[in-house]
Amino acid sequence: MRLDYTKASPAGFKAFADVYGYVLRSGLDKMLVELVFLRVSQINGCASCLVRHTRDLIKRGVDPEKLTLLQVWDEAGPLFSDREKAALAWAESVTRVADTHVPDDDFKAAAAMFSEKELADLTVAISLINAFNRLNISFRLDPD
Protein backbone atom coordinates (compact mmCIF):
# COMPACT_ATOMS: atom_id res chain seq x y z
CA MET A 1 0.00 0.00 0.00
CA ARG A 2 1.30 3.42 -0.92
CA LEU A 3 -0.77 5.34 1.60
CA ASP A 4 -3.67 4.60 3.95
CA TYR A 5 -6.07 7.32 2.86
CA THR A 6 -8.55 6.39 5.60
CA LYS A 7 -5.98 7.49 8.18
CA ALA A 8 -4.40 10.31 6.18
CA SER A 9 -7.79 11.93 5.57
CA PRO A 10 -10.29 10.53 8.08
CA ALA A 11 -12.82 13.30 7.44
CA GLY A 12 -12.62 12.71 3.70
CA PHE A 13 -13.09 8.98 4.19
CA LYS A 14 -16.01 9.61 6.56
CA ALA A 15 -17.68 11.76 3.90
CA PHE A 16 -17.48 8.87 1.43
CA ALA A 17 -18.68 6.44 4.12
CA ASP A 18 -21.66 8.70 4.79
CA VAL A 19 -22.57 8.63 1.08
CA TYR A 20 -22.24 4.83 1.15
CA GLY A 21 -24.62 4.75 4.13
CA TYR A 22 -27.06 6.92 2.20
CA VAL A 23 -26.95 4.58 -0.79
CA LEU A 24 -27.71 1.60 1.45
CA ARG A 25 -30.71 3.46 2.94
CA SER A 26 -31.90 4.89 -0.38
CA GLY A 27 -34.39 2.14 -1.10
CA LEU A 28 -32.45 0.68 -4.01
CA ASP A 29 -32.26 -3.09 -3.95
CA LYS A 30 -29.00 -3.98 -2.19
CA MET A 31 -28.26 -6.88 -4.55
CA LEU A 32 -28.66 -4.51 -7.51
CA VAL A 33 -26.29 -1.99 -5.89
CA GLU A 34 -23.70 -4.70 -5.23
CA LEU A 35 -23.93 -5.94 -8.84
CA VAL A 36 -23.34 -2.38 -10.04
CA PHE A 37 -20.45 -1.92 -7.60
CA LEU A 38 -18.84 -5.13 -8.83
CA ARG A 39 -19.35 -4.32 -12.53
CA VAL A 40 -17.88 -0.83 -12.17
CA SER A 41 -14.95 -2.28 -10.23
CA GLN A 42 -14.38 -4.80 -13.05
CA ILE A 43 -14.28 -1.97 -15.59
CA ASN A 44 -11.86 0.06 -13.47
CA GLY A 45 -9.71 -2.92 -12.45
CA CYS A 46 -9.91 -2.33 -8.70
CA ALA A 47 -8.68 -5.54 -7.07
CA SER A 48 -9.70 -4.66 -3.50
CA CYS A 49 -13.23 -3.72 -4.62
CA LEU A 50 -13.51 -6.86 -6.76
CA VAL A 51 -12.76 -9.00 -3.70
CA ARG A 52 -15.08 -7.04 -1.40
CA HIS A 53 -18.10 -6.88 -3.66
CA THR A 54 -17.75 -10.47 -4.84
CA ARG A 55 -17.77 -11.57 -1.20
CA ASP A 56 -20.76 -9.31 -0.45
CA LEU A 57 -22.72 -10.78 -3.35
CA ILE A 58 -21.89 -14.34 -2.27
CA LYS A 59 -23.11 -13.49 1.26
CA ARG A 60 -26.35 -12.17 -0.27
CA GLY A 61 -26.80 -15.50 -2.05
CA VAL A 62 -26.23 -14.39 -5.63
CA ASP A 63 -26.45 -17.11 -8.26
CA PRO A 64 -22.82 -18.15 -9.00
CA GLU A 65 -23.64 -18.11 -12.71
CA LYS A 66 -24.60 -14.44 -12.38
CA LEU A 67 -21.20 -13.68 -10.84
CA THR A 68 -19.46 -15.60 -13.61
CA LEU A 69 -21.34 -13.81 -16.40
CA LEU A 70 -21.45 -10.30 -14.93
CA GLN A 71 -18.77 -9.07 -17.36
CA VAL A 72 -20.97 -10.16 -20.26
CA TRP A 73 -24.36 -9.44 -18.68
CA ASP A 74 -25.74 -8.18 -22.00
CA GLU A 75 -25.13 -11.63 -23.53
CA ALA A 76 -26.48 -13.64 -20.58
CA GLY A 77 -30.10 -13.82 -21.73
CA PRO A 78 -32.67 -13.96 -18.95
CA LEU A 79 -30.11 -14.47 -16.17
CA PHE A 80 -30.27 -10.74 -15.43
CA SER A 81 -33.59 -8.98 -14.94
CA ASP A 82 -34.56 -6.03 -17.13
CA ARG A 83 -33.94 -3.71 -14.18
CA GLU A 84 -30.49 -5.22 -13.57
CA LYS A 85 -29.66 -4.86 -17.26
CA ALA A 86 -30.77 -1.22 -17.25
CA ALA A 87 -28.70 -0.51 -14.11
CA LEU A 88 -25.62 -2.22 -15.52
CA ALA A 89 -25.91 -0.43 -18.87
CA TRP A 90 -26.28 2.91 -17.06
CA ALA A 91 -23.34 2.07 -14.79
CA GLU A 92 -21.13 1.29 -17.77
CA SER A 93 -22.11 4.48 -19.61
CA VAL A 94 -21.58 6.68 -16.54
CA THR A 95 -18.29 4.96 -15.63
CA ARG A 96 -16.96 5.42 -19.15
CA VAL A 97 -18.14 9.04 -19.30
CA ALA A 98 -14.96 10.24 -21.04
CA ASP A 99 -15.77 7.94 -23.97
CA THR A 100 -19.57 7.85 -23.90
CA HIS A 101 -20.53 11.33 -22.72
CA VAL A 102 -23.59 9.45 -21.37
CA PRO A 103 -25.82 9.75 -24.45
CA ASP A 104 -29.54 10.56 -24.36
CA ASP A 105 -30.43 7.02 -25.43
CA ASP A 106 -28.63 5.61 -22.38
CA PHE A 107 -30.46 8.05 -20.13
CA LYS A 108 -33.84 7.26 -21.69
CA ALA A 109 -33.28 3.52 -21.29
CA ALA A 110 -32.39 3.93 -17.61
CA ALA A 111 -35.20 6.42 -16.97
CA ALA A 112 -37.69 3.93 -18.40
CA MET A 113 -36.78 1.43 -15.65
CA PHE A 114 -36.17 3.68 -12.64
CA SER A 115 -38.01 6.55 -11.00
CA GLU A 116 -36.22 9.91 -10.92
CA LYS A 117 -35.15 9.35 -7.31
CA GLU A 118 -33.98 5.81 -8.04
CA LEU A 119 -31.99 6.95 -11.06
CA ALA A 120 -30.43 9.80 -9.10
CA ASP A 121 -29.56 7.44 -6.24
CA LEU A 122 -28.21 4.83 -8.65
CA THR A 123 -25.99 7.49 -10.21
CA VAL A 124 -24.79 8.51 -6.74
CA ALA A 125 -23.90 4.85 -6.12
CA ILE A 126 -22.07 4.59 -9.45
CA SER A 127 -20.18 7.80 -8.75
CA LEU A 128 -19.26 6.60 -5.27
CA ILE A 129 -17.83 3.27 -6.40
CA ASN A 130 -15.89 5.03 -9.14
CA ALA A 131 -14.41 7.32 -6.48
CA PHE A 132 -13.54 4.39 -4.20
CA ASN A 133 -11.98 2.56 -7.18
CA ARG A 134 -9.81 5.59 -7.89
CA LEU A 135 -8.73 5.94 -4.27
CA ASN A 136 -7.97 2.24 -3.88
CA ILE A 137 -6.08 1.96 -7.17
CA SER A 138 -4.14 5.22 -6.64
CA PHE A 139 -2.98 4.20 -3.17
CA ARG A 140 -2.66 0.46 -4.04
CA LEU A 141 -5.05 -0.81 -1.37
CA ASP A 142 -4.31 -4.50 -0.92
CA PRO A 143 -7.09 -6.94 -1.73
CA ASP A 144 -8.26 -8.77 1.40
Side-chain angles (χ1 to χ4, degrees), residues 80-99:
F80 292 88
S81 71
D82 289 342
R83 226 169 126 79
E84 289 170 335
K85 290 176 184 178
L88 293 166
W90 182 246
E92 289 184 6
S93 187
V94 171
T95 297
R96 294 181 170 127
V97 66
D99 297 324

PDB file of all heavy atoms in Angstrom, residues 80-99:
ATOM      1  N   PHE A  80     -30.145 -12.047 -16.071  1.00  0.00           N
ATOM      2  CA  PHE A  80     -30.269 -10.741 -15.425  1.00  0.00           C
ATOM      3  C   PHE A  80     -31.645 -10.176 -15.741  1.00  0.00           C
ATOM      4  O   PHE A  80     -32.111 -10.256 -16.883  1.00  0.00           O
ATOM      5  CB  PHE A  80     -29.169  -9.788 -15.916  1.00  0.00           C
ATOM      6  CG  PHE A  80     -27.798 -10.188 -15.466  1.00  0.00           C
ATOM      7  CD1 PHE A  80     -27.032 -11.069 -16.213  1.00  0.00           C
ATOM      8  CD2 PHE A  80     -27.271  -9.710 -14.270  1.00  0.00           C
ATOM      9  CE1 PHE A  80     -25.772 -11.465 -15.793  1.00  0.00           C
ATOM     10  CE2 PHE A  80     -26.013 -10.100 -13.844  1.00  0.00           C
ATOM     11  CZ  PHE A  80     -25.254 -10.980 -14.605  1.00  0.00           C
ATOM     12  N   SER A  81     -32.279  -9.588 -14.743  1.00  0.00           N
ATOM     13  CA  SER A  81     -33.594  -8.979 -14.940  1.00  0.00           C
ATOM     14  C   SER A  81     -33.468  -7.729 -15.808  1.00  0.00           C
ATOM     15  O   SER A  81     -32.360  -7.186 -15.979  1.00  0.00           O
ATOM     16  CB  SER A  81     -34.217  -8.604 -13.594  1.00  0.00           C
ATOM     17  OG  SER A  81     -33.530  -7.490 -13.029  1.00  0.00           O
ATOM     18  N   ASP A  82     -34.578  -7.249 -16.321  1.00  0.00           N
ATOM     19  CA  ASP A  82     -34.559  -6.025 -17.126  1.00  0.00           C
ATOM     20  C   ASP A  82     -34.043  -4.846 -16.306  1.00  0.00           C
ATOM     21  O   ASP A  82     -33.304  -4.002 -16.814  1.00  0.00           O
ATOM     22  CB  ASP A  82     -35.957  -5.714 -17.671  1.00  0.00           C
ATOM     23  CG  ASP A  82     -36.378  -6.687 -18.760  1.00  0.00           C
ATOM     24  OD1 ASP A  82     -35.510  -7.387 -19.335  1.00  0.00           O
ATOM     25  OD2 ASP A  82     -37.596  -6.750 -19.043  1.00  0.00           O
ATOM     26  N   ARG A  83     -34.411  -4.803 -15.056  1.00  0.00           N
ATOM     27  CA  ARG A  83     -33.941  -3.714 -14.177  1.00  0.00           C
ATOM     28  C   ARG A  83     -32.431  -3.807 -13.956  1.00  0.00           C
ATOM     29  O   ARG A  83     -31.729  -2.801 -13.966  1.00  0.00           O
ATOM     30  CB  ARG A  83     -34.688  -3.803 -12.847  1.00  0.00           C
ATOM     31  CG  ARG A  83     -35.214  -2.494 -12.353  1.00  0.00           C
ATOM     32  CD  ARG A  83     -36.167  -2.759 -11.190  1.00  0.00           C
ATOM     33  NE  ARG A  83     -35.802  -2.006 -10.029  1.00  0.00           N
ATOM     34  CZ  ARG A  83     -36.088  -0.731  -9.866  1.00  0.00           C
ATOM     35  NH1 ARG A  83     -36.732  -0.057 -10.773  1.00  0.00           N
ATOM     36  NH2 ARG A  83     -35.723  -0.102  -8.777  1.00  0.00           N
ATOM     37  N   GLU A  84     -31.943  -5.024 -13.740  1.00  0.00           N
ATOM     38  CA  GLU A  84     -30.494  -5.216 -13.572  1.00  0.00           C
ATOM     39  C   GLU A  84     -29.761  -4.813 -14.848  1.00  0.00           C
ATOM     40  O   GLU A  84     -28.725  -4.133 -14.780  1.00  0.00           O
ATOM     41  CB  GLU A  84     -30.181  -6.661 -13.205  1.00  0.00           C
ATOM     42  CG  GLU A  84     -30.594  -7.043 -11.804  1.00  0.00           C
ATOM     43  CD  GLU A  84     -30.508  -8.522 -11.534  1.00  0.00           C
ATOM     44  OE1 GLU A  84     -30.585  -9.341 -12.493  1.00  0.00           O
ATOM     45  OE2 GLU A  84     -30.380  -8.891 -10.345  1.00  0.00           O
ATOM     46  N   LYS A  85     -30.290  -5.220 -15.987  1.00  0.00           N
ATOM     47  CA  LYS A  85     -29.657  -4.860 -17.256  1.00  0.00           C
ATOM     48  C   LYS A  85     -29.627  -3.354 -17.447  1.00  0.00           C
ATOM     49  O   LYS A  85     -28.613  -2.793 -17.881  1.00  0.00           O
ATOM     50  CB  LYS A  85     -30.392  -5.527 -18.424  1.00  0.00           C
ATOM     51  CG  LYS A  85     -30.204  -7.026 -18.498  1.00  0.00           C
ATOM     52  CD  LYS A  85     -31.050  -7.614 -19.617  1.00  0.00           C
ATOM     53  CE  LYS A  85     -30.963  -9.118 -19.640  1.00  0.00           C
ATOM     54  NZ  LYS A  85     -31.816  -9.706 -20.688  1.00  0.00           N
ATOM     55  N   ALA A  86     -30.715  -2.679 -17.114  1.00  0.00           N
ATOM     56  CA  ALA A  86     -30.766  -1.219 -17.246  1.00  0.00           C
ATOM     57  C   ALA A  86     -29.751  -0.561 -16.307  1.00  0.00           C
ATOM     58  O   ALA A  86     -29.052   0.378 -16.688  1.00  0.00           O
ATOM     59  CB  ALA A  86     -32.172  -0.709 -16.964  1.00  0.00           C
ATOM     60  N   ALA A  87     -29.653  -1.063 -15.083  1.00  0.00           N
ATOM     61  CA  ALA A  87     -28.698  -0.507 -14.114  1.00  0.00           C
ATOM     62  C   ALA A  87     -27.262  -0.730 -14.561  1.00  0.00           C
ATOM     63  O   ALA A  87     -26.411   0.166 -14.448  1.00  0.00           O
ATOM     64  CB  ALA A  87     -28.927  -1.127 -12.737  1.00  0.00           C
ATOM     65  N   LEU A  88     -26.980  -1.913 -15.075  1.00  0.00           N
ATOM     66  CA  LEU A  88     -25.618  -2.224 -15.522  1.00  0.00           C
ATOM     67  C   LEU A  88     -25.243  -1.407 -16.756  1.00  0.00           C
ATOM     68  O   LEU A  88     -24.113  -0.909 -16.859  1.00  0.00           O
ATOM     69  CB  LEU A  88     -25.471  -3.721 -15.771  1.00  0.00           C
ATOM     70  CG  LEU A  88     -25.564  -4.585 -14.505  1.00  0.00           C
ATOM     71  CD1 LEU A  88     -25.757  -6.054 -14.857  1.00  0.00           C
ATOM     72  CD2 LEU A  88     -24.342  -4.381 -13.612  1.00  0.00           C
ATOM     73  N   ALA A  89     -26.182  -1.254 -17.681  1.00  0.00           N
ATOM     74  CA  ALA A  89     -25.910  -0.429 -18.869  1.00  0.00           C
ATOM     75  C   ALA A  89     -25.648   1.016 -18.457  1.00  0.00           C
ATOM     76  O   ALA A  89     -24.717   1.659 -18.959  1.00  0.00           O
ATOM     77  CB  ALA A  89     -27.084  -0.507 -19.846  1.00  0.00           C
ATOM     78  N   TRP A  90     -26.467   1.533 -17.545  1.00  0.00           N
ATOM     79  CA  TRP A  90     -26.284   2.907 -17.056  1.00  0.00           C
ATOM     80  C   TRP A  90     -24.937   3.030 -16.347  1.00  0.00           C
ATOM     81  O   TRP A  90     -24.194   3.997 -16.563  1.00  0.00           O
ATOM     82  CB  TRP A  90     -27.439   3.277 -16.138  1.00  0.00           C
ATOM     83  CG  TRP A  90     -27.397   4.669 -15.610  1.00  0.00           C
ATOM     84  CD1 TRP A  90     -27.224   5.040 -14.307  1.00  0.00           C
ATOM     85  CD2 TRP A  90     -27.525   5.891 -16.349  1.00  0.00           C
ATOM     86  NE1 TRP A  90     -27.243   6.414 -14.197  1.00  0.00           N
ATOM     87  CE2 TRP A  90     -27.429   6.957 -15.436  1.00  0.00           C
ATOM     88  CE3 TRP A  90     -27.718   6.179 -17.701  1.00  0.00           C
ATOM     89  CZ2 TRP A  90     -27.507   8.295 -15.824  1.00  0.00           C
ATOM     90  CZ3 TRP A  90     -27.803   7.503 -18.089  1.00  0.00           C
ATOM     91  CH2 TRP A  90     -27.697   8.543 -17.160  1.00  0.00           C
ATOM     92  N   ALA A  91     -24.604   2.050 -15.514  1.00  0.00           N
ATOM     93  CA  ALA A  91     -23.335   2.073 -14.786  1.00  0.00           C
ATOM     94  C   ALA A  91     -22.149   2.093 -15.744  1.00  0.00           C
ATOM     95  O   ALA A  91     -21.179   2.832 -15.529  1.00  0.00           O
ATOM     96  CB  ALA A  91     -23.234   0.867 -13.848  1.00  0.00           C
ATOM     97  N   GLU A  92     -22.221   1.311 -16.802  1.00  0.00           N
ATOM     98  CA  GLU A  92     -21.129   1.294 -17.773  1.00  0.00           C
ATOM     99  C   GLU A  92     -21.016   2.627 -18.502  1.00  0.00           C
ATOM    100  O   GLU A  92     -19.916   3.146 -18.700  1.00  0.00           O
ATOM    101  CB  GLU A  92     -21.320   0.144 -18.761  1.00  0.00           C
ATOM    102  CG  GLU A  92     -21.088  -1.206 -18.125  1.00  0.00           C
ATOM    103  CD  GLU A  92     -21.163  -2.376 -19.089  1.00  0.00           C
ATOM    104  OE1 GLU A  92     -21.296  -2.158 -20.316  1.00  0.00           O
ATOM    105  OE2 GLU A  92     -21.085  -3.525 -18.610  1.00  0.00           O
ATOM    106  N   SER A  93     -22.135   3.201 -18.890  1.00  0.00           N
ATOM    107  CA  SER A  93     -22.106   4.479 -19.607  1.00  0.00           C
ATOM    108  C   SER A  93     -21.567   5.601 -18.720  1.00  0.00           C
ATOM    109  O   SER A  93     -20.727   6.393 -19.146  1.00  0.00           O
ATOM    110  CB  SER A  93     -23.513   4.818 -20.110  1.00  0.00           C
ATOM    111  OG  SER A  93     -23.490   5.958 -20.928  1.00  0.00           O
ATOM    112  N   VAL A  94     -22.026   5.638 -17.472  1.00  0.00           N
ATOM    113  CA  VAL A  94     -21.576   6.685 -16.539  1.00  0.00           C
ATOM    114  C   VAL A  94     -20.102   6.485 -16.184  1.00  0.00           C
ATOM    115  O   VAL A  94     -19.335   7.445 -16.112  1.00  0.00           O
ATOM    116  CB  VAL A  94     -22.475   6.710 -15.284  1.00  0.00           C
ATOM    117  CG1 VAL A  94     -21.907   7.625 -14.212  1.00  0.00           C
ATOM    118  CG2 VAL A  94     -23.898   7.142 -15.658  1.00  0.00           C
ATOM    119  N   THR A  95     -19.689   5.243 -15.975  1.00  0.00           N
ATOM    120  CA  THR A  95     -18.293   4.960 -15.626  1.00  0.00           C
ATOM    121  C   THR A  95     -17.351   5.339 -16.765  1.00  0.00           C
ATOM    122  O   THR A  95     -16.263   5.854 -16.529  1.00  0.00           O
ATOM    123  CB  THR A  95     -18.139   3.470 -15.250  1.00  0.00           C
ATOM    124  OG1 THR A  95     -18.932   3.236 -14.087  1.00  0.00           O
ATOM    125  CG2 THR A  95     -16.687   3.106 -14.984  1.00  0.00           C
ATOM    126  N   ARG A  96     -17.789   5.117 -17.975  1.00  0.00           N
ATOM    127  CA  ARG A  96     -16.956   5.420 -19.152  1.00  0.00           C
ATOM    128  C   ARG A  96     -17.304   6.792 -19.734  1.00  0.00           C
ATOM    129  O   ARG A  96     -17.233   7.002 -20.951  1.00  0.00           O
ATOM    130  CB  ARG A  96     -17.154   4.329 -20.199  1.00  0.00           C
ATOM    131  CG  ARG A  96     -16.636   2.979 -19.742  1.00  0.00           C
ATOM    132  CD  ARG A  96     -16.819   1.923 -20.815  1.00  0.00           C
ATOM    133  NE  ARG A  96     -16.110   0.711 -20.462  1.00  0.00           N
ATOM    134  CZ  ARG A  96     -16.664  -0.496 -20.431  1.00  0.00           C
ATOM    135  NH1 ARG A  96     -17.936  -0.660 -20.729  1.00  0.00           N
ATOM    136  NH2 ARG A  96     -15.936  -1.543 -20.112  1.00  0.00           N
ATOM    137  N   VAL A  97     -17.651   7.727 -18.885  1.00  0.00           N
ATOM    138  CA  VAL A  97     -18.138   9.044 -19.300  1.00  0.00           C
ATOM    139  C   VAL A  97     -17.200   9.752 -20.277  1.00  0.00           C
ATOM    140  O   VAL A  97     -17.652  10.441 -21.189  1.00  0.00           O
ATOM    141  CB  VAL A  97     -18.445   9.930 -18.063  1.00  0.00           C
ATOM    142  CG1 VAL A  97     -17.177  10.269 -17.295  1.00  0.00           C
ATOM    143  CG2 VAL A  97     -19.200  11.174 -18.452  1.00  0.00           C
ATOM    144  N   ALA A  98     -15.913   9.583 -20.133  1.00  0.00           N
ATOM    145  CA  ALA A  98     -14.959  10.241 -21.040  1.00  0.00           C
ATOM    146  C   ALA A  98     -15.133   9.756 -22.474  1.00  0.00           C
ATOM    147  O   ALA A  98     -14.907  10.512 -23.424  1.00  0.00           O
ATOM    148  CB  ALA A  98     -13.524  10.010 -20.581  1.00  0.00           C
ATOM    149  N   ASP A  99     -15.555   8.507 -22.632  1.00  0.00           N
ATOM    150  CA  ASP A  99     -15.767   7.941 -23.968  1.00  0.00           C
ATOM    151  C   ASP A  99     -17.214   8.080 -24.433  1.00  0.00           C
ATOM    152  O   ASP A  99     -17.474   8.323 -25.608  1.00  0.00           O
ATOM    153  CB  ASP A  99     -15.391   6.452 -23.982  1.00  0.00           C
ATOM    154  CG  ASP A  99     -13.919   6.230 -23.693  1.00  0.00           C
ATOM    155  OD1 ASP A  99     -13.091   7.049 -24.134  1.00  0.00           O
ATOM    156  OD2 ASP A  99     -13.605   5.234 -23.018  1.00  0.00           O
TER     157      ASP A  99
END
